[in-house]
Amino acid sequence: MKQEPLSKNRRKLSRFLCQEMLYDFISHRLDPDRTEAVREFIETDEQVREEFECVQQGIRYAEDLSRTPVTPALIERLKFSELPSKRILNKILWTNWPPAVRLGTEALVISAFVAVVMSTLPWQKISVFRRDKSKQIEITQVEARKKIVSDDVEVAEGEKQPEATPPPADVSKDDLANTSLAAQAALEDEGSDDHEEPVKPPVLTPNPREKTAARLEPAKETKVAAAKEDDQGKPPSANLAPGATPVPVDSQANEDAQTAESLKGKPKGFVYKAFMKLNNLDDMTPQIADIIRNLGGQRAGEVELGWRRDSGSYYHFTLPESNYQELLNSLKTFGPVQIFKESHRRVMPAGKIRFILWVEDGDK
Amino acid sequence: MSEQNLKAIALFFFFAFLDEKIALDASIKITNKFRDRVSKHPDFSEAQSQTLLVQLTKKYFFQHRHRSLRHQTALTGHAGWQVPTTLDLSAWKQFQKESSENDFLAVIWSKILGFSDESISEGLGVTVGTVRYRIGNGLRALGAMNKFKTLTKS
């Protein structure tokens, strides 16, 4: 605080004011005029003088106290002192752990966290990880059914089974896979509409017993099948393709009854499932239907031949067995064909085979 | 942490509480606090250190003042403070009991520990003039008590 010098006509300092300035006077913080005024007051006023002496004595006493020595032991103790709480905290604090322990603990924590996340995250709900079960199953089934069976060769008991004919050479594996996958999906969709049985696992190799069992029907079933055949009407002979001959059914009824007993409980029938993928399906569909009819084919379900769907055309028909190869050759002229033979509980009359053909639209 | 600061902490609590045990506990705690604060600001100047000590010691004193008033002063001379035998602490004890706490502390910081008036004023958050006023009051009272003791002894 800057002290203004007293004016020339200065008033005498009061005792109170002088008392308050005693410490500053002793500390030499007053300006020369005030210093002189205070000195005069001290000399003249006894009370102020006493107080002045008290302040001086207090200063001397405090200076004596300030010279109190502190032992080095105490200094050391203070220098290296540590609060108990801090000591515990330092031990708990993981940054003070040995590096090996710290790294091991970090690794453990991270591993545990990752394990918890992996186990609790709903992976199936994430589309990237969602498994298309139907496709996987189809792929497995497609690969298992790649053996194409030809029924032209009759196999006696004890002889080797006929080898499955490989797919045509001009058919790429991708086409086969695509056709089969789509067709399988379509067939699974169609099955219920067409009052068909659900698709059963395919037969990898044709069992000659099953093949003969398909022909060898008990008398009742033969009659039923024959009755059905009659209900549907005889295949018009005029529509038969040249070279195709109808196969008589009734002549084998006795042989069928003998082997039917040994195959109780197993699917006794079979069905051929064929898949194709063609462009310009609107034009191809009626052509294929005509070929089937020309070879003696008749619809076997409730829908007409070449039932048009958004993704393809569907054919469910029966065909004289003798015209099987002819049909195959005719279909190959349109494009690659993939055929599977599956066991089915529906038994056809002898000489007749049942077909389900799915032609996928290649334009879509 | 300098030895000067350690000594200042030790002397403050010794003369503030006049109890060696309380002074030792207080010195350890404030030393640790001071060390923590200084470690965060390594470039503390001497004045800033004094200001920080004023703040820390004042806070602790007012929190534990009642402890020193509950019992009589306990000074054995073996705890680390070696008060000269020629020095009579009776005036100081009386000063501790009868003076205002602000004057008492101002005398300790200024005259015993040697802190500057500016550091004390910044630590307390008051003007320098207030600090000098308190010091003057305190010294006057201390001097009067000491004079009285001296006269009575003689």
Side-chain angles (χ1 to χ4, degrees), chain A residues 19-20 23 29 51 53-54 58-59 61-62 65-66 68-71 74-75 77-79 81 86, chain B residues 3 15 24 27 31-32 35-36 80 82 87-89 92 111-112 117 132-133 135 139-140 143 146-147:
Chain A
Q19 285 171 344
E20 297 303 320
Y23 177 66
R29 291 197 185 99
E51 289 198 3
E53 288 171 0
C54 286
I59 291 172
Y61 185 70
L65 292 179
S66 69
T68 301
V70 179
T71 59
L74 180 59
I75 298 293
R77 187 173 176 181
L78 293 178
K79 191 183 287 184
S81 65
K86 198 168 183 182
Chain B
E3 200 171 301
F15 287 111
L24 185 61
S27 300
T31 300
N32 279 279
R35 188 189 296 132
D36 291 342
Q82 295 170 331
L87 194 61
D88 185 15
L89 288 180
W92 184 261
K111 295 305 168 188
I112 296 181
D117 295 344
R132 288 179 186 155
Y133 171 78
I135 294 171
L139 287 172
R140 199 181 316 130
N146 188 41
K147 191 176 179 182

Side-chain angles (χ1 to χ4, degrees), chain B residues 119-132:
Chain B
S119 300
I120 297 170
S121 71
E122 197 169 333
L124 295 178
V126 297
T127 61
V128 176
T130 303
V131 172
R132 288 179 186 155

Side-chain angles (χ1 to χ4, degrees), chain A residues 248-264:
Chain A
V249 174
D250 294 336
S251 61
Q252 296 188 7
N254 293 332
E255 293 179 10
D256 295 349
Q258 291 177 5
T259 57
E261 288 297 324
S262 62
L263 295 174
K264 277 186 181 176

Side-chain angles (χ1 to χ4, degrees), chain A residues 18-233:
Chain A
C18 197
Q19 285 171 344
E20 297 303 320
M21 286 193 288
L22 283 175
Y23 177 66
D24 291 331
F25 170 77
I26 294 171
S27 305
H28 307 288
R29 291 197 185 99
L30 298 178
D31 60 79
D33 287 340
R34 285 201 184 268
T35 303
E36 189 60 33
V38 171
R39 184 179 290 115
E40 284 178 13
F41 208 98
I42 289 171
E43 287 172 358
T44 56
D45 193 302
E46 189 176 343
Q47 190 174 348
V48 174
R49 187 165 55 247
E50 282 181 9
E51 289 198 3
F52 173 72
E53 288 171 0
C54 286
V55 174
Q56 281 185 318
Q57 195 149 358
I59 291 172
R60 282 197 293 270
Y61 185 70
E63 286 174 355
D64 290 340
L65 292 179
S66 69
R67 284 193 280 270
T68 301
V70 179
T71 59
L74 180 59
I75 298 293
E76 288 295 311
R77 187 173 176 181
L78 293 178
K79 191 183 287 184
F80 299 108
S81 65
E82 199 175 43
L83 294 173
S85 57
K86 198 168 183 182
R87 202 176 299 130
I88 293 170
L89 192 67
N90 282 340
K91 289 201 172 163
I92 293 173
L93 206 59
W94 70 286
T95 51
N96 296 335
W97 293 358
V101 175
R102 188 171 75 241
L103 288 172
T105 308
E106 285 176 359
L108 194 66
V109 169
I110 292 170
S111 303
F113 176 75
V114 171
V116 167
V117 168
M118 294 290 285
S119 60
T120 56
L121 206 62
W123 296 104
Q124 293 301 320
K125 291 188 180 178
I126 300 172
S127 60
V128 178
F129 298 103
R130 194 179 296 143
R131 272 198 254 171
D132 193 346
K133 291 183 181 177
S134 60
K135 283 190 177 179
Q136 285 188 348
I137 292 174
E138 288 177 6
I139 288 171
T140 304
Q141 288 181 349
V142 166
E143 287 180 356
R145 285 186 226 151
K146 276 193 175 177
K147 292 182 182 178
I148 298 175
V149 178
S150 170
D151 284 341
D152 288 343
V153 178
E154 292 205 5
V155 178
E157 286 190 17
E159 285 188 4
K160 289 183 182 177
Q161 299 175 6
E163 295 178 356
T165 56
D170 57 348
V171 176
S172 66
K173 288 183 181 178
D174 289 339
D175 288 340
L176 282 173
N178 290 338
T179 306
S180 62
L181 285 173
Q184 179 66 19
L187 284 173
E188 285 178 358
D189 292 339
E190 309 301 348
S192 57
D193 295 338
D194 210 10
H195 298 281
E196 282 294 333
E197 289 289 327
V199 176
K200 294 187 179 178
V203 176
L204 294 179
T205 55
N207 190 344
R209 287 197 173 182
E210 285 185 0
K211 192 183 98 173
T212 52
R215 295 171 178 244
L216 301 175
E217 297 169 348
K220 288 185 183 177
E221 291 185 5
T222 306
K223 287 179 183 175
V224 169
K228 282 187 180 176
E229 190 64 34
D230 291 336
D231 291 338
Q232 292 174 357

